[in-house]
Amino acid sequence: MATSSTNSVTGSFPVKRGLAEMLKGGVIMDVVTPEQAKLAEDAGACAVMALERVPADIRRDGGVARMSDPEMIQGIQAAVTIPVMAKARIGHFVEAQILQALGVDFIDESEVLTPADEAHHIDKFKFTTPFVCGATNLGEALRRISEGAAMIRSKGEAGTGNVVEAVRHLRSILGDIKKIGTADSAELFEWAKRLQAPLSLVQEIAETGQLPVPLFCAGGLATPADAAFAMQLGASSVFVGSGIFKSDNPALRAKAIVEATTHFMDADVLARVSTGIGAPMTGIGMDEINQRYAERGW
Amino acid sequence: MKPKLHIGVLALQGAFVAHAQALRDCGAEVQLVRTHEDLNGIQGLVIPGGESTTMSNLLVASGLSEVLKDIFRHGFPVFGTCAGMIVLAERILDGRTDQISLGALKIDVRRNGYGRQNDSFEQDIIVPSFDTPFHALFIRAPVIEAIGPDVEVLASWGDRPVLVRSAHALACSFHPELVSDLRIHEMFLSIVENFSVTNPR
């Protein structure tokens, strides 16, 4: 029997998008130490995001937020067996090159870090490692996909513990997808123009009724109910950042959010897992913050 | 017309949506499975790719692990891909110490044996029972390191089995649900059909 071994391809778009597909129905947790990463894996996280400070602390500390120290990322890679993601600044392709060299499983070109380029995002097709990017609306999502993103997440407003912005972004993206689904072929040109997005991607949405890559929810989720809310609205998975390790009992909360994400339609399970998990992070209102991370990105 | 087969897809975490679509494209009726009530009426179960440690946690928390072990012991048809194959394997290498296995297949599987995401790859593989190669996506894929005497190798790549079968359990290291080629799903459905004929509900 001939086993052809000549045509193996790594880093292709289907291979990148494939990992995003594997992370569906799961919870990706922000962690800043190997101990936190272990706790996340114990709780059933499907991946962790390795970073130096959770968004709530970045918000509090101010200053320039950059890619994490490679040593810290390696420590987390050594501590867990699940996929490890890490963040690069918007447009900072050298930070992304370093993260790829470190062997992270997904790179988040993230508005939570201070942008490095005010006009350009990273050309993500040049990388073997898949990318996830944030979006506040469908046009932004499609521009990121046209640059090679294999996963889109709603931006929400990271570090606030307030789900309202994530919900706005999810509803905006999914609402426009629904409208495009009912548009006629002539209207698709107008949609592409209005969204400032490639016509081919708009046409693909009209045909399939969905985004060309998985859509996850991020930015302000703090409770099991928030996670199930995002899933019922149509997200395929959730990112939880500050919401776990800024709460009273991270281990219990992390496990509860994992169960809530799986059983998002089952109110009895949601009631059970929401009980006795201690206080969530305090959170802040949108009128109390002076820097909206979601406005970063072009 | 033949009655539709009813197939469950374990939907605790992972690529269950893609499997459900592939099964529907094959003409099957699909039930997503999150609780043991969801098992009612299904004739076979697919365990998708995803994160095997996450699935292990949720299998225990939902009480499904014991129910599934029991039905697999009685030969209930099951198809595991990637993480799903890990969950079915009798022995898991490089897993977490608390990770459970449903033991439906006598194979030793090494988690992420083909490496991290940067090593994930696409590859045409030869399945001797198919006329043309099958285009396979391996995503942080597990390696089958050893197989028991009753396990049949249906396809290999390099020197490793990548598609195996034992009685009514089918498993592969790669992701047939991520390509439009339905031949491996059809292979599973014919296993289910044969089982249903000899074990009517």
Side-chain angles (χ1 to χ4, degrees):
Chain A
M1 187 180 93
T3 50
S4 51
S5 56
T6 47
N7 60 343
S8 271
V9 178
T10 58
S12 64
F13 195 71
V15 166
K16 294 176 177 176
R17 193 190 180 288
L19 183 58
E21 204 69 40
M22 295 311 128
L23 298 173
K24 281 186 173 177
V27 184
I28 300 152
M29 301 183 191
D30 279 3
V31 297
V32 302
T33 63
E35 291 68 37
Q36 287 189 356
K38 280 207 187 88
L39 184 149
E41 189 183 63
D42 287 346
C46 67
V48 291
M49 176 75 70
L51 72 179
E52 238 151 26
R53 291 174 290 172
V54 294
D57 290 336
I58 294 175
R59 204 172 269 292
R60 188 198 61 208
D61 297 349
V64 176
R66 309 179 181 90
M67 176 189 81
S68 295
D69 180 351
E71 196 177 350
M72 176 264 165
I73 294 169
Q74 286 166 324
I76 286 170
Q77 285 174 316
V80 294
T81 60
I82 56 179
V84 175
M85 302 186 173
K87 290 182 193 288
R89 282 179 268 179
I90 289 175
H92 205 317
F93 50 81
V94 176
E95 284 189 348
Q97 289 163 5
I98 293 170
L99 292 175
Q100 174 164 295
L102 291 171
V104 305
D105 296 291
F106 238 103
I107 299 171
D108 185 0
E109 186 182 18
S110 177
E111 71 284 356
V112 171
L113 305 184
T114 311
D117 189 320
E118 291 186 331
H120 309 94
H121 282 253
I122 297 170
D123 175 359
K124 293 165 270 287
F125 285 112
K126 283 189 172 168
F127 290 79
T128 303
T129 311
F131 277 74
V132 52
C133 289
T136 58
N137 57 54
L138 184 58
E140 207 177 350
L142 294 182
R143 288 194 293 280
R144 297 298 85 80
I145 294 167
S146 71
E147 297 155 1
M151 178 202 295
I152 294 295
R153 54 173 174 75
S154 64
K155 282 182 177 170
E157 199 47 56
T160 61
N162 188 338
V163 78
V164 67
E165 293 297 297
V167 169
R168 198 152 61 82
H169 301 158
L170 263 187
R171 281 200 183 275
S172 169
I173 294 168
L174 293 165
D176 278 352
I177 289 173
K178 260 186 249 166
K179 285 180 210 153
I180 288 174
T182 61
D184 67 40
S185 59
E187 288 169 328
L188 298 181
F189 296 97
E190 159 65 10
W191 269 105
K193 195 165 64 178
R194 199 187 323 158
L195 294 173
Q196 298 180 279
L199 176 64
S200 60
L201 291 179
V202 173
Q203 288 168 327
E204 188 178 335
I205 289 175
E207 205 166 298
T208 64
Q210 53 191 4
L211 209 60
V213 304
L215 173 64
F216 290 11
C217 181
L221 280 63
T223 66
D226 287 348
F229 186 23
M231 295 294 287
Q232 287 198 27
L233 284 170
S236 290
S237 277
V238 297
F239 285 80
V240 184
S242 319
I244 289 170
F245 290 99
K246 288 290 171 190
S247 74
D248 270 5
N249 192 328
L252 283 180
R253 181 162 298 265
K255 196 166 188 307
I257 291 177
V258 168
E259 283 196 57
T261 302
T262 293
H263 302 284
F264 67 94
M265 294 294 282
D266 188 333
D268 292 331
V269 172
L270 298 177
R272 176 173 59 76
V273 302
S274 301
T275 306
I277 56 173
M281 71 181 283
T282 309
I284 37 182
M286 287 309 123
D287 47 2
E288 299 168 63
I289 61 174
N290 45 25
Q291 169 73 66
R292 290 207 178 210
Y293 296 153
E295 291 168 358
R296 298 164 164 177
W298 0 100
Chain B
M1 213 179 99
K2 280 192 299 185
K4 281 190 166 188
L5 291 172
H6 288 247
I7 307 295
V9 178
L10 191 68
L12 297 176
Q13 193 272 321
F16 50 86
V17 175
H19 267 296
Q21 190 55 53
L23 291 163
R24 284 191 198 103
D25 291 345
C26 292
E29 197 90 50
V30 175
Q31 166 74 45
L32 295 182
V33 173
R34 295 189 172 97
T35 66
H36 66 265
E37 287 86 8
D38 296 331
L39 296 168
N40 290 335
I42 64 166
Q43 296 161 281
L45 181 70
V46 172
I47 304 186
E51 196 33 63
S52 63
T53 57
T54 303
M55 276 188 235
S56 167
N57 272 14
L58 290 161
L59 279 166
V60 173
S62 63
L64 272 171
S65 60
E66 291 311 312
V67 186
L68 292 179
K69 271 183 202 169
D70 190 56
I71 63 172
F72 295 152
R73 237 191 322 267
H74 293 91
F76 189 77
V78 62
F79 174 27
T81 59
C82 193
M85 176 174 83
I86 298 173
V87 171
L88 291 177
E90 191 174 66
R91 188 151 167 261
I92 302 168
L93 309 166
D94 290 346
R96 286 170 53 94
T97 48
D98 62 353
Q99 188 166 356
I100 63 143
S101 148
L102 301 176
L105 266 168
K106 289 194 173 21
I107 53 176
D108 294 357
V109 165
R110 187 173 298 280
R111 277 183 72 213
N112 304 336
Y114 288 100
R116 304 188 74 102
Q117 176 61 16
N118 288 345
D119 305 309
S120 295
F121 60 100
E122 304 184 52
Q123 170 73 49
D124 279 347
I125 58 165
I126 308 288
V127 182
S129 60
F130 295 166
D131 297 341
T132 55
F134 191 92
H135 190 67
L137 267 68
F138 291 80
I139 312 281
R140 285 173 54 96
V143 167
I144 300 174
E145 295 212 337
I147 58 168
D150 62 340
V151 176
E152 184 188 357
V153 176
L154 302 178
S156 294
W157 181 66
D159 55 355
R160 300 291 192 194
V162 292
L163 174 65
V164 295
R165 176 184 177 173
S166 170
H168 302 101
L170 181 70
C172 56
S173 309
F174 54 92
H175 291 284
E177 78 284 8
L178 296 183
V179 294
S180 53
D181 191 335
L182 298 172
R183 286 179 291 178
I184 294 178
H185 284 89
E186 283 163 355
M187 184 187 273
F188 176 59
L189 292 179
S190 73
I191 292 173
V192 173
E193 213 154 31
N194 288 335
F195 180 79
S196 297
V197 170
T198 48
N199 299 269
R201 274 182 288 173

